[in-house]
Each structure stands twice: as structure tokens, then as C-alpha cells.
Amino acid sequence: MERCPFLLDNPQDIDGRIGDMLFRRAGFAPVTAARSDNVLTLQELCGYGMGACLRPQLFLPSLLDDERLRTPRTLDCGPGTSYAISFGISACDYRWSISNH
């Protein structure tokens, strides 16, 4: 995979940091075809054959239609590659100003 072009997330994002860790673990620096903060852009470029994209398998159904879900190759990347996602909401009620009639 050393010669494969990669479409990479921003190194400040969790997915980018995990990707960088995987490349260090594999012992090579990736050929970077593009970097972006936009997951959908990277996924589309991958679909056009511009390079390989590292994406959590759990997200694929929301990013790809049924036909395109048949083509990705998934790899178990081992320890240190999973993370929790948390959601928060305000503790107090918020009224949108548009609804204050």
C-alpha cells in the first residue's frame, strides 16, 4: 500500500490522527493525493478512483448508497482505532426567536 495514493482527513481531526497512527504502525509515509476536513468530499474522490480513503465502517451506510456499499474493502485496524462519539444538548430550554409570536 506504500505506493497507493490516499485521501486523508485533517491531521487535527480524530480520524486524521488515527490514520497517521496507522501509517506509522505500518512503517511508511502515505502518498497524499488530497487532504480535507470534508468527509463527503474525500468519499466522492475515492469513488472516482482518486485514491484510498480511511473511513470508520460504521459510517459507510450513511455515506454510500446500496450499490456503492458493495465495493469498499474493510480492514480491521486493531487497537487504538476506535473512539466514542458524544452528543450534548443545552440544560435549559431554548426558544427560537422566530417562534415567539
Side-chain angles (χ1 to χ4, degrees):
M1 294 185 65
E2 289 182 53
R3 293 186 193 143
C4 178
F6 282 89
L7 307 163
L8 301 174
D9 295 281
N10 185 322
Q12 286 76 37
D13 292 342
I14 185 71
D15 291 334
R17 289 194 305 271
I18 289 173
D20 288 347
M21 178 198 64
L22 291 172
F23 292 119
R24 280 193 308 279
R25 190 187 295 167
F28 70 93
V31 174
T32 305
R35 277 198 186 266
S36 177
D37 293 326
N38 190 308
V39 171
L40 295 176
T41 297
L42 294 174
Q43 195 65 46
E44 283 300 309
L45 291 171
C46 185
Y48 289 124
M50 301 299 294
C53 195
L54 302 174
R55 214 38 73 232
Q57 186 175 3
L58 179 65
F59 294 167
L60 292 180
S62 64
L63 296 171
L64 303 174
D65 60 29
D66 288 339
E67 182 179 329
R68 291 176 72 190
L69 267 173
R70 287 182 241 153
T71 56
R73 291 192 176 94
T74 58
L75 306 170
D76 180 5
C77 295
T81 60
S82 62
Y83 56 93
I85 297 176
S86 302
F87 295 92
I89 59 170
S90 177
C92 60
D93 291 339
Y94 179 80
R95 291 191 71 169
W96 290 94
S97 60
I98 198 165
S99 65
N100 290 336
H101 287 91

Coordinates of all heavy atoms in Angstrom, one line a residue:
M1 N 0.8 -1.2 0.0 CA 0.0 0.0 0.0 C 0.9 1.3 0.0 O 0.3 2.3 -0.1 CB -0.9 0.0 1.2 CG -2.0 -1.1 1.1 SD -3.2 -1.0 2.5 CE -4.0 0.5 2.1
E2 N 2.2 1.1 0.1 CA 3.0 2.3 0.1 C 2.9 3.2 -1.1 O 3.1 4.4 -1.0 CB 4.5 1.8 0.3 CG 4.8 1.3 1.6 CD 6.2 0.9 1.8 OE1 7.1 1.7 1.6 OE2 6.5 -0.3 2.2
R3 N 2.6 2.6 -2.2 CA 2.5 3.4 -3.5 C 1.1 3.9 -3.7 O 0.9 4.7 -4.7 CB 3.0 2.6 -4.7 CG 4.4 2.3 -4.6 CD 4.9 1.6 -5.8 NE 6.2 1.0 -5.6 CZ 6.7 -0.1 -6.0 NH1 5.9 -0.9 -6.8 NH2 7.9 -0.6 -5.8
C4 N 0.1 3.5 -3.0 CA -1.3 3.9 -3.2 C -1.5 5.3 -2.8 O -1.0 5.7 -1.7 CB -2.1 2.9 -2.3 SG -3.9 3.3 -2.4
P5 N -2.1 6.1 -3.6 CA -2.5 7.5 -3.2 C -3.6 7.4 -2.1 O -4.5 6.6 -2.2 CB -2.9 8.2 -4.4 CG -3.4 7.1 -5.3 CD -2.6 5.8 -5.0
F6 N -3.5 8.3 -1.1 CA -4.5 8.3 -0.1 C -5.2 9.7 0.0 O -4.6 10.7 -0.3 CB -3.9 8.0 1.3 CG -3.6 6.6 1.5 CD1 -2.4 6.0 1.2 CD2 -4.6 5.8 2.1 CE1 -2.2 4.7 1.4 CE2 -4.3 4.4 2.3 CZ -3.1 3.9 2.0
L7 N -6.5 9.6 0.3 CA -7.3 10.8 0.5 C -7.5 10.9 2.0 O -8.2 10.1 2.6 CB -8.6 10.7 -0.2 CG -8.5 10.3 -1.7 CD1 -9.8 9.8 -2.2 CD2 -8.0 11.5 -2.5
L8 N -6.8 11.9 2.7 CA -6.7 11.9 4.1 C -7.5 13.0 4.8 O -7.6 14.1 4.2 CB -5.2 12.0 4.5 CG -4.3 10.9 4.0 CD1 -2.9 11.1 4.3 CD2 -4.8 9.5 4.5
D9 N -7.9 12.7 6.0 CA -8.6 13.7 6.8 C -7.5 14.6 7.4 O -6.3 14.3 7.4 CB -9.3 13.0 8.0 CG -10.4 12.1 7.5 OD1 -11.5 12.6 7.2 OD2 -10.2 10.9 7.5
N10 N -8.0 15.8 7.9 CA -7.1 16.7 8.5 C -6.4 16.1 9.7 O -7.1 15.4 10.5 CB -8.0 17.9 9.0 CG -7.2 19.0 9.5 OD1 -6.2 18.9 10.2 ND2 -7.7 20.2 9.2
P11 N -5.1 16.3 9.9 CA -4.4 15.6 11.0 C -4.9 16.1 12.4 O -4.6 15.5 13.4 CB -3.0 15.9 10.8 CG -2.9 17.0 9.8 CD -4.2 17.0 9.0
Q12 N -5.6 17.2 12.5 CA -6.1 17.7 13.7 C -7.4 17.0 14.1 O -7.8 17.0 15.3 CB -6.4 19.2 13.7 CG -5.1 20.0 13.8 CD -4.4 20.1 12.5 OE1 -5.0 20.1 11.4 NE2 -3.0 20.0 12.5
D13 N -8.1 16.3 13.2 CA -9.3 15.5 13.5 C -9.0 14.2 14.0 O -7.9 13.6 13.7 CB -10.1 15.4 12.2 CG -10.7 16.6 11.7 OD1 -10.8 17.6 12.4 OD2 -11.1 16.7 10.5
I14 N -9.9 13.6 14.7 CA -9.7 12.2 15.3 C -9.4 11.2 14.2 O -8.5 10.4 14.3 CB -10.9 11.8 16.2 CG1 -10.6 10.4 16.9 CG2 -12.2 11.7 15.4 CD1 -9.5 10.5 18.0
D15 N -10.1 11.3 13.1 CA -9.9 10.3 12.0 C -8.5 10.5 11.4 O -7.8 9.6 11.0 CB -11.0 10.4 10.9 CG -12.3 9.9 11.4 OD1 -12.3 9.0 12.3 OD2 -13.3 10.3 10.9
G16 N -8.1 11.8 11.3 CA -6.8 12.1 10.7 C -5.7 11.6 11.7 O -4.6 11.0 11.2
R17 N -5.8 11.7 13.0 CA -4.8 11.3 13.9 C -4.8 9.7 13.9 O -3.7 9.2 14.0 CB -5.2 11.8 15.3 CG -4.9 13.3 15.5 CD -4.9 13.7 16.9 NE -6.1 13.4 17.7 CZ -7.2 14.1 17.8 NH1 -7.2 15.3 17.2 NH2 -8.2 13.7 18.5
I18 N -5.9 9.1 13.8 CA -5.9 7.6 13.8 C -5.2 7.2 12.5 O -4.4 6.2 12.5 CB -7.3 7.0 13.9 CG1 -7.8 7.2 15.3 CG2 -7.4 5.6 13.5 CD1 -9.3 6.9 15.5
G19 N -5.5 7.8 11.4 CA -4.9 7.5 10.1 C -3.4 7.6 10.2 O -2.6 6.7 9.8
D20 N -2.9 8.7 10.7 CA -1.4 8.9 10.9 C -0.8 7.8 11.8 O 0.3 7.3 11.5 CB -1.2 10.3 11.5 CG -1.4 11.5 10.6 OD1 -1.6 11.2 9.3 OD2 -1.5 12.6 11.0
M21 N -1.5 7.4 12.8 CA -1.1 6.4 13.7 C -1.0 5.0 12.9 O 0.0 4.3 13.0 CB -2.0 6.2 14.9 CG -1.6 5.0 15.8 SD -2.9 4.4 16.9 CE -4.1 3.8 15.7
L22 N -1.9 4.8 12.1 CA -1.9 3.5 11.3 C -0.7 3.5 10.3 O -0.1 2.5 10.1 CB -3.2 3.4 10.5 CG -4.5 3.1 11.4 CD1 -5.7 3.1 10.5 CD2 -4.3 1.7 12.1
F23 N -0.5 4.6 9.7 CA 0.7 4.7 8.8 C 2.0 4.5 9.5 O 2.9 3.8 9.0 CB 0.7 6.0 8.0 CG -0.5 6.1 7.0 CD1 -1.4 7.1 7.1 CD2 -0.6 5.1 6.0 CE1 -2.5 7.1 6.2 CE2 -1.6 5.2 5.1 CZ -2.6 6.2 5.2
R24 N 2.1 5.2 10.7 CA 3.3 5.0 11.5 C 3.5 3.5 11.9 O 4.6 2.9 11.8 CB 3.3 5.8 12.7 CG 3.7 7.3 12.5 CD 3.9 8.0 13.8 NE 2.9 7.9 14.8 CZ 1.7 8.7 14.8 NH1 1.5 9.6 13.8 NH2 0.8 8.5 15.7
R25 N 2.4 2.9 12.3 CA 2.4 1.5 12.7 C 2.8 0.6 11.5 O 3.5 -0.4 11.7 CB 1.0 1.1 13.2 CG 1.0 -0.3 13.8 CD -0.4 -0.8 14.2 NE -1.1 0.1 15.2 CZ -2.4 0.0 15.5 NH1 -3.2 -0.8 14.8 NH2 -2.9 0.8 16.4
A26 N 2.4 1.0 10.3 CA 2.7 0.2 9.1 C 4.1 0.5 8.6 O 4.6 -0.3 7.8 CB 1.7 0.5 8.0
G27 N 4.7 1.5 9.1 CA 6.1 1.8 8.8 C 6.3 2.6 7.5 O 7.4 2.5 6.9
F28 N 5.3 3.3 7.0 CA 5.5 4.1 5.8 C 4.8 5.4 5.8 O 3.8 5.5 6.6 CB 5.2 3.3 4.5 CG 3.8 3.1 4.3 CD1 3.0 3.9 3.5 CD2 3.2 1.9 4.8 CE1 1.6 3.7 3.3 CE2 1.8 1.6 4.6 CZ 1.1 2.5 3.8
A29 N 5.2 6.4 5.1 CA 4.5 7.7 5.0 C 3.6 7.6 3.7 O 4.1 7.1 2.7 CB 5.5 8.8 4.8
P30 N 2.4 7.9 3.9 CA 1.5 7.7 2.7 C 1.7 8.7 1.6 O 2.2 9.8 1.8 CB 0.1 8.0 3.3 CG 0.4 8.9 4.5 CD 1.7 8.5 5.0
V31 N 1.4 8.3 0.4 CA 1.4 9.2 -0.7 C 0.0 10.0 -0.6 O -1.0 9.3 -0.7 CB 1.4 8.5 -2.1 CG1 1.3 9.4 -3.2 CG2 2.7 7.7 -2.2
T32 N 0.1 11.3 -0.3 CA -1.1 12.0 -0.1 C -1.6 12.7 -1.4 O -1.0 13.6 -1.9 CB -0.9 13.1 1.0 OG1 -0.4 12.5 2.2 CG2 -2.2 13.8 1.4
A33 N -2.8 12.2 -1.9 CA -3.4 12.7 -3.1 C -4.2 14.0 -2.7 O -4.2 14.9 -3.5 CB -4.3 11.7 -3.7
A34 N -4.8 14.0 -1.5 CA -5.6 15.2 -1.0 C -5.8 15.0 0.4 O -5.8 13.9 1.0 CB -6.9 15.2 -1.8
R35 N -6.0 16.2 1.1 CA -6.4 16.3 2.5 C -7.6 17.2 2.5 O -7.7 18.2 1.8 CB -5.3 16.8 3.4 CG -4.3 15.8 3.8 CD -3.5 16.3 5.0 NE -2.5 15.4 5.4 CZ -2.6 14.5 6.3 NH1 -3.7 14.3 6.9 NH2 -1.6 13.7 6.6
S36 N -8.6 16.9 3.4 CA -9.8 17.7 3.5 C -10.4 17.5 4.9 O -10.2 16.5 5.5 CB -10.8 17.4 2.4 OG -11.9 18.1 2.6
D37 N -11.1 18.5 5.3 CA -12.0 18.4 6.5 C -13.3 17.9 6.2 O -14.1 17.5 7.1 CB -12.2 19.8 7.1 CG -10.9 20.4 7.7 OD1 -10.1 19.7 8.2 OD2 -10.7 21.7 7.6
N38 N -13.6 17.7 4.9 CA -14.9 17.3 4.5 C -14.9 15.8 4.1 O -14.4 15.4 3.1 CB -15.4 18.2 3.3 CG -16.8 18.0 2.9 OD1 -17.3 16.8 2.7 ND2 -17.6 19.0 2.8
V39 N -15.6 15.0 4.9 CA -15.6 13.6 4.7 C -16.3 13.2 3.4 O -15.8 12.3 2.7 CB -16.4 12.9 5.9 CG1 -16.7 11.5 5.7 CG2 -15.7 13.1 7.2
L40 N -17.4 13.9 3.1 CA -18.1 13.6 1.8 C -17.2 13.9 0.6 O -17.3 13.2 -0.4 CB -19.4 14.4 1.8 CG -20.4 14.1 2.8 CD1 -21.6 15.0 2.7 CD2 -20.8 12.6 2.7
T41 N -16.4 15.0 0.6 CA -15.5 15.3 -0.5 C -14.5 14.1 -0.7 O -14.3 13.7 -1.8 CB -14.8 16.6 -0.3 OG1 -15.8 17.7 -0.2 CG2 -13.8 16.9 -1.4
L42 N -13.9 13.7 0.4 CA -12.9 12.6 0.3 C -13.6 11.3 -0.2 O -13.0 10.6 -1.0 CB -12.3 12.4 1.7 CG -11.4 13.5 2.2 CD1 -11.0 13.2 3.7 CD2 -10.2 13.8 1.3
Q43 N -14.8 11.1 0.3 CA -15.5 9.9 -0.1 C -15.8 9.9 -1.6 O -15.7 8.9 -2.3 CB -16.8 9.7 0.7 CG -17.4 8.3 0.6 CD -16.5 7.3 1.2 OE1 -16.0 7.4 2.3 NE2 -16.3 6.2 0.5
E44 N -16.3 11.1 -2.1 CA -16.6 11.2 -3.5 C -15.3 11.0 -4.4 O -15.3 10.3 -5.4 CB -17.2 12.6 -3.8 CG -18.7 12.6 -3.4 CD -19.5 11.6 -4.2 OE1 -19.4 11.5 -5.4 OE2 -20.3 10.9 -3.5
L45 N -14.2 11.6 -4.0 CA -12.9 11.5 -4.7 C -12.5 10.0 -4.7 O -12.0 9.5 -5.7 CB -11.8 12.3 -4.0 CG -12.0 13.9 -4.2 CD1 -11.0 14.6 -3.4 CD2 -11.9 14.3 -5.7
C46 N -12.7 9.3 -3.6 CA -12.4 7.9 -3.5 C -13.3 7.1 -4.5 O -12.8 6.3 -5.2 CB -12.6 7.4 -2.1 SG -12.2 5.7 -1.8
G47 N -14.6 7.5 -4.6 CA -15.5 6.8 -5.5 C -15.1 7.0 -7.0 O -15.4 6.2 -7.8
Y48 N -14.4 8.2 -7.3 CA -13.9 8.4 -8.6 C -12.6 7.8 -8.9 O -12.0 8.0 -9.9 CB -13.8 9.9 -8.9 CG -15.2 10.6 -9.0 CD1 -15.5 11.7 -8.2 CD2 -16.1 10.2 -9.9 CE1 -16.8 12.3 -8.3 CE2 -17.4 10.8 -10.0 CZ -17.7 11.8 -9.2 OH -18.9 12.4 -9.3
G49 N -12.0 7.1 -7.9 CA -10.8 6.4 -8.1 C -9.5 7.2 -7.9 O -8.4 6.9 -8.4
M50 N -9.7 8.3 -7.2 CA -8.6 9.3 -7.0 C -7.6 8.8 -5.9 O -6.5 9.3 -5.7 CB -9.1 10.7 -6.6 CG -10.0 11.3 -7.7 SD -9.2 11.5 -9.3 CE -8.0 12.7 -8.9
G51 N -8.0 7.8 -5.1 CA -7.2 7.3 -4.0 C -8.0 6.5 -3.0 O -9.2 6.4 -3.1
A52 N -7.3 6.0 -2.0 CA -7.9 5.2 -0.9 C -8.3 6.2 0.2 O -7.6 7.2 0.4 CB -6.9 4.1 -0.4
C53 N -9.3 5.8 0.9 CA -9.9 6.7 1.9 C -10.0 5.8 3.2 O -10.5 4.7 3.1 CB -11.2 7.2 1.5 SG -11.9 8.6 2.4
L54 N -9.6 6.4 4.3 CA -9.8 5.7 5.6 C -11.1 6.2 6.2 O -11.2 7.4 6.5 CB -8.6 5.9 6.5 CG -7.2 5.5 6.0 CD1 -6.2 6.0 7.0 CD2 -7.2 4.0 5.8
R55 N -12.0 5.3 6.5 CA -13.3 5.7 7.0 C -13.8 4.7 8.0 O -13.7 3.5 7.7 CB -14.3 5.7 5.8 CG -15.4 6.7 5.7 CD -15.2 8.1 6.1 NE -14.4 8.9 5.3 CZ -13.3 9.6 5.7 NH1 -12.9 9.5 7.0 NH2 -12.6 10.3 4.9
P56 N -14.4 5.1 9.1 CA -14.9 4.1 10.0 C -16.1 3.3 9.3 O -16.9 3.9 8.7 CB -15.5 4.9 11.2 CG -14.7 6.2 11.1 CD -14.4 6.4 9.7
Q57 N -16.0 2.0 9.4 CA -17.0 1.1 8.8 C -18.5 1.5 9.2 O -19.4 1.5 8.4 CB -16.7 -0.3 9.1 CG -17.6 -1.3 8.3 CD -17.2 -2.7 8.6 OE1 -16.3 -3.0 9.3 NE2 -17.9 -3.6 7.9
L58 N -18.6 1.9 10.4 CA -19.9 2.3 10.9 C -20.6 3.4 10.1 O -21.8 3.5 10.0 CB -19.8 2.7 12.4 CG -21.1 3.1 13.1 CD1 -22.1 1.9 13.2 CD2 -20.8 3.6 14.5
F59 N -19.7 4.3 9.6 CA -20.2 5.5 8.8 C -20.6 5.2 7.4 O -21.3 6.0 6.8 CB -19.2 6.6 8.9 CG -19.0 7.2 10.2 CD1 -17.9 8.0 10.4 CD2 -19.8 6.9 11.3 CE1 -17.6 8.6 11.7 CE2 -19.5 7.5 12.6 CZ -18.5 8.3 12.7
L60 N -20.1 4.1 6.9 CA -20.3 3.8 5.4 C -21.8 3.8 5.0 O -22.1 4.4 3.9 CB -19.6 2.5 5.0 CG -18.1 2.6 5.1 CD1 -17.5 1.3 4.7 CD2 -17.5 3.7 4.3
P61 N -22.7 3.2 5.7 CA -24.1 3.2 5.2 C -24.7 4.6 5.1 O -25.5 4.9 4.2 CB -24.9 2.4 6.3 CG -23.8 1.5 6.9 CD -22.6 2.3 6.9
S62 N -24.2 5.6 5.9 CA -24.7 7.0 5.7 C -24.0 7.7 4.6 O -24.5 8.8 4.2 CB -24.6 7.7 7.1 OG -23.3 7.9 7.4
L63 N -22.9 7.2 4.2 CA -22.1 7.9 3.1 C -22.3 7.3 1.7 O -22.1 8.0 0.8 CB -20.6 7.8 3.5 CG -20.1 8.6 4.7 CD1 -18.7 8.2 5.0 CD2 -20.3 10.1 4.6
L64 N -22.7 6.1 1.7 CA -22.8 5.4 0.4 C -24.2 4.8 0.1 O -24.8 4.4 1.1 CB -21.7 4.2 0.3 CG -20.3 4.6 0.6 CD1 -19.4 3.4 0.6 CD2 -19.8 5.5 -0.5
D65 N -24.6 4.8 -1.1 CA -25.8 4.1 -1.4 C -25.6 2.6 -1.5 O -24.5 2.1 -1.4 CB -26.4 4.6 -2.8 CG -25.5 4.4 -4.0 OD1 -24.7 3.4 -4.0 OD2 -25.6 5.2 -4.9
D66 N -26.7 1.8 -1.6 CA -26.6 0.3 -1.6 C -25.6 -0.2 -2.6 O -24.8 -1.1 -2.3 CB -27.9 -0.3 -1.8 CG -28.8 -0.1 -0.6 OD1 -28.3 0.1 0.5 OD2 -30.1 -0.2 -0.7
E67 N -25.6 0.3 -3.8 CA -24.7 -0.2 -4.9 C -23.2 0.1 -4.5 O -22.4 -0.8 -4.6 CB -25.0 0.5 -6.2 CG -24.2 -0.1 -7.3 CD -24.5 0.6 -8.7 OE1 -25.7 0.9 -8.9 OE2 -23.6 0.7 -9.5
R68 N -22.9 1.2 -4.0 CA -21.6 1.6 -3.7 C -21.1 0.9 -2.4 O -19.9 0.8 -2.1 CB -21.4 3.1 -3.6 CG -21.5 3.7 -5.0 CD -21.5 5.2 -5.0 NE -20.1 5.7 -4.7 CZ -19.8 6.9 -4.4 NH1 -20.8 7.8 -4.4 NH2 -18.6 7.3 -4.2
L69 N -22.0 0.5 -1.6 CA -21.7 -0.2 -0.3 C -21.0 -1.6 -0.6 O -20.4 -2.2 0.3 CB -22.9 -0.4 0.6 CG -23.1 0.7 1.6 CD1 -24.4 0.5 2.3 CD2 -22.0 0.7 2.6
R70 N -21.2 -2.1 -1.8 CA -20.7 -3.5 -2.1 C -19.2 -3.4 -2.5 O -18.5 -4.4 -2.4 CB -21.4 -4.0 -3.3 CG -22.8 -4.5 -2.9 CD -23.5 -5.1 -4.1 NE -24.7 -4.3 -4.3 CZ -25.3 -4.1 -5.4 NH1 -24.9 -4.7 -6.5 NH2 -26.4 -3.3 -5.5
T71 N -18.7 -2.3 -2.8 CA -17.3 -2.2 -3.3 C -16.2 -1.9 -2.3 O -15.1 -2.3 -2.5 CB -17.2 -1.1 -4.5 OG1 -17.6 0.1 -4.0 CG2 -18.0 -1.6 -5.7
P72 N -16.4 -1.2 -1.2 CA -15.3 -0.9 -0.3 C -14.7 -2.2 0.3 O -15.4 -3.2 0.6 CB -15.9 -0.1 0.8 CG -17.2 0.4 0.3 CD -17.7 -0.6 -0.7
R73 N -13.4 -2.2 0.5 CA -12.7 -3.2 1.2 C -12.6 -2.7 2.7 O -12.1 -1.6 2.9 CB -11.4 -3.5 0.6 CG -11.5 -4.1 -0.7 CD -10.2 -4.7 -1.2 NE -10.3 -5.4 -2.4 CZ -10.1 -4.8 -3.6 NH1 -9.8 -3.6 -3.7 NH2 -10.3 -5.5 -4.7
T74 N -12.9 -3.5 3.6 CA -12.8 -3.1 5.0 C -11.7 -3.9 5.7 O -11.5 -5.1 5.4 CB -14.1 -3.3 5.8 OG1 -14.5 -4.7 5.7 CG2 -15.2 -2.5 5.2
L75 N -10.9 -3.3 6.5 CA -9.8 -3.9 7.2 C -10.0 -3.6 8.7 O -10.4 -2.5 9.1 CB -8.5 -3.3 6.7 CG -8.2 -3.3 5.3 CD1 -7.0 -2.4 5.0 CD2 -8.0 -4.7 4.8
D76 N -9.7 -4.6 9.5 CA -9.6 -4.4 11.0 C -8.3 -3.7 11.3 O -7.2 -4.3 11.0 CB -9.7 -5.8 11.7 CG -9.7 -5.6 13.2 OD1 -9.7 -4.4 13.7 OD2 -9.7 -6.6 13.9
C77 N -8.4 -2.5 11.8 CA -7.2 -1.8 12.0 C -6.6 -1.9 13.4 O -5.6 -1.3 13.8 CB -7.4 -0.3 11.7 SG -7.8 0.0 10.0
G78 N -7.2 -2.8 14.2 CA -6.6 -3.1 15.5 C -6.8 -2.1 16.6 O -7.7 -1.2 16.5
P79 N -6.1 -2.3 17.7 CA -6.3 -1.5 18.9 C -6.0 0.0 18.6 O -5.1 0.3 17.8 CB -5.4 -2.1 19.9 CG -4.4 -2.8 19.2 CD -5.0 -3.3 17.9
G80 N -6.7 0.9 19.3 CA -6.4 2.3 19.2 C -7.1 3.0 18.1 O -6.8 4.2 17.9
T81 N -7.9 2.3 17.4 CA -8.6 2.9 16.2 C -10.1 3.1 16.4 O -10.8 3.5 15.5 CB -8.4 2.1 15.0 OG1 -8.9 0.8 15.1 CG2 -6.9 1.9 14.6
S82 N -10.6 2.9 17.6 CA -12.0 3.2 17.9 C -12.1 4.4 18.8 O -11.1 4.7 19.6 CB -12.7 1.9 18.5 OG -12.1 1.6 19.7
Y83 N -13.2 5.0 18.8 CA -13.4 6.2 19.7 C -14.9 6.4 19.9 O -15.7 5.9 19.1 CB -12.8 7.4 19.1 CG -13.3 7.8 17.7 CD1 -14.3 8.7 17.5 CD2 -12.6 7.3 16.6 CE1 -14.8 9.0 16.3 CE2 -13.0 7.7 15.3 CZ -14.1 8.5 15.2 OH -14.5 8.9 13.9
A84 N -15.2 7.0 21.0 CA -16.6 7.3 21.4 C -17.0 8.6 20.8 O -16.2 9.5 20.6 CB -16.8 7.3 22.9
I85 N -18.3 8.7 20.4 CA -18.9 9.9 19.9 C -19.9 10.3 20.9 O -20.8 9.5 21.3 CB -19.5 9.7 18.5 CG1 -18.4 9.3 17.5 CG2 -20.2 11.0 18.1 CD1 -19.0 9.0 16.1
S86 N -19.9 11.5 21.4 CA -20.8 12.0 22.3 C -21.6 13.2 21.8 O -21.1 13.9 20.9 CB -20.1 12.6 23.6 OG -19.3 11.5 24.1
F87 N -22.9 13.3 22.2 CA -23.7 14.4 21.8 C -24.2 15.1 23.1 O -24.4 14.5 24.1 CB -25.0 13.9 21.1 CG -24.7 13.2 19.8 CD1 -24.4 11.8 19.7 CD2 -24.6 13.9 18.6 CE1 -24.1 11.2 18.5 CE2 -24.3 13.3 17.4 CZ -24.1 11.9 17.4
G88 N -24.3 16.4 22.9 CA -24.7 17.2 24.1 C -25.9 18.1 23.7 O -26.0 18.5 22.5
I89 N -26.7 18.4 24.7 CA -27.8 19.4 24.5 C -27.8 20.4 25.6 O -27.3 20.0 26.7 CB -29.2 18.7 24.3 CG1 -29.5 17.9 25.6 CG2 -29.2 17.9 23.1 CD1 -30.9 17.5 25.6
S90 N -28.3 21.5 25.4 CA -28.3 22.5 26.5 C -29.2 22.1 27.6 O -30.2 21.4 27.5 CB -28.9 23.8 25.9 OG -29.0 24.8 26.9
A91 N -28.8 22.4 28.9 CA -29.5 22.0 30.1 C -30.8 22.9 30.2 O -31.7 22.5 30.9 CB -28.6 22.2 31.3
C92 N -30.8 24.0 29.6 CA -32.0 24.9 29.7 C -32.7 24.9 28.4 O -32.2 24.7 27.3 CB -31.6 26.3 30.2 SG -30.5 27.1 29.1
D93 N -34.1 25.2 28.5 CA -34.9 25.3 27.2 C -34.4 26.5 26.4 O -34.1 27.6 27.0 CB -36.3 25.5 27.6 CG -36.9 24.2 28.2 OD1 -36.3 23.1 27.9 OD2 -38.0 24.3 28.8
Y94 N -34.4 26.4 25.1 CA -34.1 27.5 24.3 C -35.3 27.7 23.3 O -35.8 26.8 22.7 CB -32.9 27.2 23.4 CG -32.5 28.3 22.5 CD1 -31.8 29.4 22.9 CD2 -32.8 28.2 21.1 CE1 -31.4 30.4 22.1 CE2 -32.5 29.2 20.3 CZ -31.8 30.3 20.7 OH -31.5 31.3 19.9
R95 N -35.7 28.9 23.2 CA -36.8 29.3 22.3 C -36.3 30.1 21.2 O -35.6 31.1 21.4 CB -37.9 30.1 23.1 CG -38.6 29.3 24.1 CD -39.8 30.0 24.6 NE -40.8 30.1 23.6 CZ -42.0 30.5 23.7 NH1 -42.4 30.9 24.9 NH2 -42.8 30.5 22.7
W96 N -36.5 29.6 20.0 CA -36.1 30.3 18.8 C -36.9 31.6 18.7 O -38.1 31.6 18.9 CB -36.4 29.4 17.6 CG -35.4 28.2 17.5 CD1 -35.7 27.0 17.9 CD2 -34.1 28.2 17.0 NE1 -34.6 26.2 17.7 CE2 -33.6 26.9 17.1 CE3 -33.3 29.2 16.4 CZ2 -32.4 26.6 16.7 CZ3 -32.1 28.8 15.9 CH2 -31.6 27.5 16.1
S97 N -36.2 32.6 18.4 CA -36.9 33.9 18.3 C -38.0 33.9 17.3 O -39.0 34.7 17.4 CB -35.9 35.0 18.0 OG -35.2 34.8 16.8
I98 N -37.8 33.1 16.2 CA -38.9 33.1 15.2 C -40.2 32.5 15.7 O -41.2 32.8 15.2 CB -38.3 32.3 14.0 CG1 -39.2 32.6 12.8 CG2 -38.3 30.8 14.2 CD1 -38.5 32.2 11.4
S99 N -40.1 31.7 16.8 CA -41.3 31.1 17.3 C -42.0 31.9 18.4 O -42.9 31.4 19.0 CB -41.0 29.7 17.8 OG -40.2 29.7 18.9
N100 N -41.5 33.1 18.7 CA -42.1 33.9 19.8 C -43.2 34.8 19.3 O -43.2 36.0 19.5 CB -41.0 34.7 20.4 CG -40.0 33.9 21.2 OD1 -40.3 32.8 21.7 ND2 -38.8 34.4 21.4
H101 N -44.2 34.2 18.7 CA -45.3 35.1 18.2 C -46.4 35.2 19.3 O -46.8 34.4 20.0 CB -45.9 34.4 17.0 CG -45.1 34.6 15.8 ND1 -44.1 33.7 15.4 CD2 -45.0 35.6 14.9 CE1 -43.5 34.1 14.4 NE2 -44.0 35.2 14.0

